[in-house]
Amino acid sequence: MANVTVIGAQWGDEGKGKIVDWLASRADAVVRFQGGHNAGHTLVIDGKTYKLSLLPSGIVSGTLSVIGNGVVLDPWALRDEVAKVEGQGVSITDENLAIADNCPLILPLHRDLDGLRETAAGKGKIGTTGRGIGPAYEDKVGRRAIRVCDLAHLDTLEPQLDRLCAHHDALRAGFGQPPVDRAALLEELREIAPFVLRFAQPVWKRLKKVRRAGAKILFEGAQGVLLDVDHGTYPFVTSSNTVSGTAASGSGLGPNSTGFVLGIVKAYTTRVGSGPFPTELEDDIGQRLGERGHEFGTVTGRKRRVGWFDAVLVRQSCAISGVTGIALTKIDVLDGLERVKICTGYRLRGKVYDYLPSHAADQADCEPIYEEMPGWSESTAGARSYADLPANAIKYIQRIQELIECPVALVSTSPERDDTILMRDPFVD
């Protein structure tokens, strides 16, 4: 039986939470391998809504849920999230939640720096969530991060704090801010340490045992390929690698463990924050899609920008991340449109491109080339078999497959877990 890696193949917010939850009920472990609590996954199960940011989506179904070393962890946000989910009746213990002991921590000073930078950038801001994700990753690669395992050794933390504060105090001074209050930081860490350490362990070892037993592992990505720090619309990207290959390094398992790569894709396109968006709609149709799709960020509540499906970008994402098959979500949001459009290429200064150029100025100037297709008046909402879909919706799905050069494995027709059409089983294929 294959493992499965789930990633977003657009700019995030593709509906990964529902798909991961649907797959998690058939998996033995679910692993978050990058990102932080800037990622928001919404699950709707039997009419009950769960909103997760750090917790892997498998936690609701009781599946072993792992926060890997590739994640940056805000321990206070995690505690709040655990309390909220437990308040909804979900049991969370060290049996079903494991945190990598080499996972870097997001500290209050990271949130401070994130906010200061975005405010100072003005119109040039990236559009981060302001939750300290980027600064925490910077400290990780700068070899000055405080990690989960350090919470068990706070009495000997002074040399690491010297290194960390020397860096941040200089930055804070540049923004006219006082130095880091080291005593207050240490006290906060002492207070949160017992909560985090109850879940801490070498997760690579636990996952190795799970894998050797022949169990199925589901790797859960955050954000989307177009936000990847290397392959996304730089600099308007997140601070981690969001491609499928990160599942190996961010979990402690080898590259042969990722298995079937399932790319999650909306039947249209959205993005949150700043950055290029060739197919963005700023008309009544864009407004309609946004309202019908409830396009507001799970984490920030920010209104998402909305546009037509961009086959160029998804084809690029599938190639870069080695996608085996896609899960097409929110097809029901397109119900009732007379015509639907798909972007098949870009026109840039008189030249046609079949990919998105790397330079930000070129990306911003790309004009979409559209192929138009008839829409459908019938409802796709709640359909659970391919035969239940309107003929024109099927043609739309088939055309997407052709243009992105990747098969559709799943079609999601509502936020409910069971409103899913299975065309190819990732755990078998």
Side-chain angles (χ1 to χ4, degrees):
M1 301 291 281
N3 294 333
V4 177
T5 299
V6 174
I7 58 164
Q10 293 164 314
W11 277 295
D13 308 309
E14 302 95 347
K16 292 184 291 297
K18 172 202 165 164
I19 301 299
V20 170
D21 174 65
W22 187 81
L23 290 167
S25 63
R26 304 166 62 220
D28 300 290
V30 180
V31 185
R32 274 284 312 272
F33 57 85
Q34 48 78 219
H37 65 310
N38 54 340
H41 292 171
T42 301
L43 315 181
V44 181
I45 304 168
D46 297 327
K48 196 170 185 178
T49 300
Y50 302 87
K51 294 189 175 183
L52 308 177
S53 294
L54 268 171
L55 291 171
S57 297
I59 199 74
V60 176
S61 59
T63 307
L64 170 61
S65 297
V66 175
I67 296 176
N69 58 275
V71 174
V72 283
L73 180 79
D74 184 321
W76 298 278
L78 177 66
R79 183 171 61 184
D80 290 346
E81 188 173 327
V82 166
K84 181 179 178 181
V85 174
E86 285 185 327
Q88 293 182 278
V90 177
S91 176
I92 300 178
T93 70
D94 56 4
E95 289 297 314
N96 63 359
L97 177 63
I99 300 174
D101 56 4
N102 55 343
C103 187
L105 297 178
I106 298 175
L107 306 173
L109 53 83
H110 294 128
R111 296 194 296 270
D112 292 346
L113 182 57
D114 209 351
L116 291 167
R117 283 174 169 170
E118 283 289 271
T119 300
K123 292 183 179 180
K125 66 181 181 180
I126 301 297
T128 76
T129 59
R131 299 192 169 204
I133 311 297
Y137 272 118
E138 289 176 38
D139 282 346
K140 174 184 177 178
V141 299
R143 295 166 293 185
R144 54 183 171 265
I146 306 299
R147 303 190 298 171
V148 167
C149 56
D150 295 319
L151 295 175
H153 300 274
L154 293 178
D155 290 338
T156 58
L157 198 64
E158 288 297 332
Q160 287 170 263
L161 284 177
D162 288 342
R163 184 176 172 82
L164 180 70
C165 292
H167 177 78
H168 280 269
D169 286 348
L171 292 172
R172 292 168 70 92
F175 287 109
Q177 298 298 308
V180 174
D181 187 335
R182 292 173 56 149
L185 176 57
L186 259 176
E187 186 57 35
E188 288 181 280
L189 290 173
R190 290 188 193 282
E191 186 271 334
I192 197 67
F195 171 79
V196 179
L197 289 174
R198 61 187 276 221
F199 304 108
Q201 58 187 272
V203 298
W204 64 268
K205 190 173 182 180
R206 187 164 183 181
L207 288 172
K208 179 182 177 182
K209 184 177 180 181
V210 168
R211 192 178 179 204
R212 280 191 168 177
K216 299 185 289 293
I217 300 173
L218 179 62
F219 298 94
E220 177 183 11
Q223 291 92 31
V225 174
L226 299 176
L227 292 175
D228 185 276
V229 70
D230 288 312
H231 300 288
T233 49
Y234 192 90
F236 303 100
V237 293
T238 194
S239 301
S240 61
N241 286 110
T242 59
V243 294
S244 61
T246 313
S249 60
S251 66
L253 289 177
N256 62 345
S257 63
T258 52
F260 188 108
V261 179
L262 183 67
I264 315 299
V265 177
K266 272 179 184 164
Y268 49 102
T269 312
T270 64
R271 86 170 293 173
V272 171
S274 306
F277 188 169
T279 66
E280 184 172 10
L281 294 169
E282 299 182 83
D283 56 12
D284 291 342
I285 293 178
Q287 181 74 15
R288 171 179 172 168
L289 294 178
E291 290 174 355
R292 291 199 62 186
H294 305 290
E295 296 299 350
F296 296 91
T298 301
V299 169
T300 63
R302 288 183 294 178
K303 184 178 179 181
R304 297 177 185 136
R305 300 155 64 191
V306 181
W308 291 117
F309 186 87
D310 193 327
V312 183
L313 287 179
V314 174
R315 181 173 63 241
Q316 190 165 323
S317 292
C318 288
I320 289 168
S321 213
V323 173
T324 315
I326 69 164
L328 191 68
T329 69
K330 292 198 169 186
I331 187 76
D332 54 302
V333 175
L334 299 180
D335 292 353
L337 292 177
E338 290 186 12
R339 309 290 294 179
V340 291
K341 294 182 180 181
I342 301 174
C343 176
T344 60
Y346 305 125
R347 189 170 285 107
L348 177 62
R349 303 183 194 98
K351 183 179 178 181
V352 174
Y353 284 75
D354 64 355
Y355 67 96
L356 187 68
S358 295
H359 197 276
D362 292 338
Q363 293 173 352
D365 290 341
C366 281
E367 297 178 13
I369 300 170
Y370 286 118
E371 179 178 305
E372 193 168 305
M373 300 180 68
W376 52 92
S377 57
E378 308 95 320
S379 175
T380 63
R384 296 186 180 182
S385 75
Y386 206 51
D388 292 336
L389 295 175
N392 283 346
I394 291 174
K395 290 178 182 176
Y396 181 73
I397 294 169
Q398 290 174 337
R399 186 57 180 147
I400 284 176
Q401 288 185 124
E402 294 170 358
L403 290 169
I404 67 173
E405 300 171 359
C406 187
V408 174
L410 300 168
V411 179
S412 171
T413 58
S414 94
E416 284 286 349
R417 175 195 281 175
D418 294 330
D419 290 342
T420 304
I421 300 169
L422 179 63
M423 299 165 66
R424 184 178 177 186
D425 191 336
F427 276 124
V428 174
D429 295 338

